[in-house]
Amino acid sequence: MASDLAILGGTPVRTEMLPYGRQAVDGEDIEAVVRVLESDWLTTGPGVEEFEESFAQKCGATHAVAVSSGTAALHAMLASLGIRKGDEVIVPPLTFVASVNAAVYVGATPVFADVDSESLLLDPESVAACLSPKTRAVIAVDYAGHPCDYEALRSITDGQDVSLLSDGCHALGGGQGDRSVGVLADATTFSLHPVKHITAGEGGVVTTNDHIVAERLRWFRNHGITSDHQTRAARGSWFYEVEQLGFNYRITDFQCALAGSQLKKLDQWVGRRKAIAAAYDLRLGGLKELSLLKSREGFSHAYHLYVVRFRPDAFSVDRARIFEALRAEGIGVNVHYIPVYYHPFYKNLLGDQKGLCPVAEEAYEQVISLPIFPGMTESDIEDVLAAIKKVIAAWGI
């Protein structure tokens, strides 16, 4: 009954909010950070290189370059590939704004391609329709943690002088076949934000197999300077040169110590995310009121998010009301994402583009992200399912 809902005065499933994501920091992580804090190098030191080597090895990439945030990683990636004013970058609208903002940072124009209705991943056919003589890059977003179909996308970009890039910030630990996210595209960005698979507090990484791109990335994160303090100290030299305009996108050694300690637990944590997703699949997959996103055969899903679609024809209320009701039950659901071109900044920049990507726009009106993080207990999972059951019982048609 509707009166059972907490939003209408009933007893909530939980008294303490269960977030959609949460970091895990243990004693080993803290000890790793303390060791660096007690050392001579707090930034631009050996800890950064050690983390980069471990991260590259984990992804199977030749190079990993760590920076101050996932957004900095996106910006540095585009700048290091020479994307500039007058160029176009194809992006999906169903992503965090940083994926698109980075194109604007370098002066390029974002062009929005629609997503596939079953997975909400970038639709290769829509990408092909968006190609123009000005296209210089495609940024594929591994939405929720499922890798995009890079083979299909590469068949479109090959021979076009177009870089195929990945925003893999949701997908660390995922892959296709025996290849990890981090080597499926020409370059891939990752985030080390607390809700991601591993954290440095804040931070980001770019992986690539291109030595020249990696070198430019290292310059770009350090004001465009071709050497860092550690290198000059080892040489006993003071001299440095600025080869290009860069930014201070450096990451600290103690952040890298935290992320490096967490990287050792990545497989375990992704395994737990998969187990939670499997429990959701089992209990929610048969409900007529919901649609689950499709996982494609041959791909390994990293489950940064677990996204469900609440079918509008199956409820007497809209998604906004369902969202409010689940939050009132103590379930910290979220929505990923508002289509980027709905935001006022992009309306002012590009004009009103509503209707441009109908699949993404329809999905936005229906999606809700359920809690999923390694520290969730079986009781937490049951609470999420109980709250959804209450909403369906109250407002399902």
Side-chain angles (χ1 to χ4, degrees), residues 181-201:
V181 171
V183 295
L184 301 177
D186 298 330
T188 304
T189 61
F190 297 93
S191 170
L192 303 176
H193 184 275
V195 297
K196 299 304 195 301
H197 294 80
I198 65 171
T199 187

Side-chain angles (χ1 to χ4, degrees), residues 17-44:
M17 186 68 73
L18 178 70
Y20 85 89
R22 176 187 285 155
Q23 74 275 8
V25 177
D26 62 18
E28 291 181 354
D29 299 332
I30 294 169
E31 289 173 7
V33 173
V34 170
R35 283 195 296 272
V36 173
L37 292 175
E38 293 175 341
S39 75
D40 291 334
W41 290 96
L42 298 188
T43 190
T44 64

Side-chain angles (χ1 to χ4, degrees), residues 1 108 110 118 127 145 241 243 260 315 338 352:
M1 295 176 61
E118 294 184 332
V127 170
E241 291 181 310
E243 288 282 353
F315 289 91
I338 301 169
D352 187 353

Side-chain angles (χ1 to χ4, degrees), residues 29-253:
D29 299 332
I30 294 169
E31 289 173 7
V33 173
V34 170
R35 283 195 296 272
V36 173
L37 292 175
E38 293 175 341
S39 75
D40 291 334
W41 290 96
L42 298 188
T43 190
T44 64
V48 177
E49 293 179 2
E50 290 171 10
F51 171 64
E52 289 175 337
E53 290 173 3
S54 296
F55 196 95
Q57 184 177 17
K58 190 66 178 176
C59 293
T62 308
H63 304 281
V65 180
V67 292
S68 56
S69 69
T71 302
L74 286 157
H75 184 191
M77 176 176 67
L78 291 180
S80 298
L81 287 163
I83 310 299
R84 57 188 183 274
K85 185 176 181 180
D87 293 341
E88 292 180 352
V89 177
I90 297 175
V91 288
L94 212 60
T95 183
F96 184 58
V97 292
S99 311
V100 185
N101 287 353
V104 180
Y105 294 162
V106 297
T109 300
V111 175
F112 294 98
D114 211 345
V115 297
D116 171 75
S117 61
E118 294 184 332
S119 64
L120 303 186
L121 299 171
L122 195 59
D123 181 359
E125 291 185 5
S126 184
V127 170
C130 289
L131 284 175
S132 83
K134 296 181 179 180
T135 305
R136 289 293 173 268
V138 174
I139 300 179
V141 175
D142 295 333
Y143 181 78
H146 192 306
C148 292
D149 188 344
Y150 289 95
E151 292 180 0
L153 292 170
R154 196 172 292 283
S155 70
I156 295 166
T157 59
D158 274 356
Q160 300 288 331
D161 191 26
V162 174
S163 296
L164 177 56
L165 308 176
S166 169
D167 180 339
C169 291
H170 289 187
L172 181 61
Q176 180 179 7
D178 59 356
R179 303 180 70 209
S180 298
V181 171
V183 295
L184 301 177
D186 298 330
T188 304
T189 61
F190 297 93
S191 170
L192 303 176
H193 184 275
V195 297
K196 299 304 195 301
H197 294 80
I198 65 171
T199 187
E202 288 280 3
V205 183
V206 185
T207 57
T208 182
N209 289 335
D210 190 316
H211 171 74
I212 294 175
V213 171
E215 184 176 53
R216 289 173 180 168
L217 286 164
R218 294 189 175 96
W219 294 354
F220 190 79
R221 73 173 172 191
N222 190 31
H223 305 279
I225 298 171
T226 58
S227 62
D228 60 25
H229 180 58
Q230 180 186 205
T231 303
R232 294 193 297 276
R235 293 174 180 170
S237 172
W238 56 266
F239 184 76
Y240 62 85
E241 291 181 310
V242 176
E243 288 282 353
Q244 63 184 46
L245 181 63
F247 287 73
N248 181 358
Y249 280 165
R250 296 188 299 257
I251 191 170
T252 65
D253 284 56

